[in-house]
Amino acid sequence: MPPDEHKAMNTAEKLVYMANQIATFFETMPHDEAAGGVAQHINDFWDPRMRRQFFEILEAGGMGLKPLVFDAAPKIRRPALVEKSAGALS
């Protein structure tokens, strides 16, 4: 957990934390294999909303992400943008 375990994390902080935990698991592997493992795990287990917010975090500078997560990013599937139509429910 982050230094203050009792602090409530927002969604972006949780995604950074989770991505870093995945990276920690794969860090003992050769670098290319580790980056591929991080990307594969995120592709397999994160829903499109999570991956969409992950890319928003990256585009904002990726503060707090481990370097291995940055290296995995090109292999992570970017979900399609969701457009709301006039008749769509919010």
Side-chain angles (χ1 to χ4, degrees), residues 30-43:
H31 185 77
D32 289 344
E33 187 178 339
V38 170
Q40 187 66 49
H41 183 90
I42 290 173
N43 285 331

Side-chain angles (χ1 to χ4, degrees), residues 8-9 15 30 50 55 69 89:
M9 288 189 281
L15 289 176
M50 293 169 73
F55 282 106
V69 178
L89 296 176

Side-chain angles (χ1 to χ4, degrees), residues 24-61:
T24 298
F25 176 82
F26 287 102
E27 282 176 343
T28 59
M29 297 179 175
H31 185 77
D32 289 344
E33 187 178 339
V38 170
Q40 187 66 49
H41 183 90
I42 290 173
N43 285 331
D44 287 349
F45 297 105
W46 286 21
D47 70 35
R49 291 173 300 169
M50 293 169 73
R51 286 184 283 120
R52 195 172 298 112
Q53 188 164 9
F54 170 77
F55 282 106
E56 290 171 5
I57 293 165
L58 279 177
E59 290 162 5

Side-chain angles (χ1 to χ4, degrees), residues 1-7 9 17 21:
M1 290 299 295
D4 182 1
E5 293 183 26
H6 301 290
K7 176 187 168 234
M9 288 189 281
Y17 178 76
Q21 288 294 302

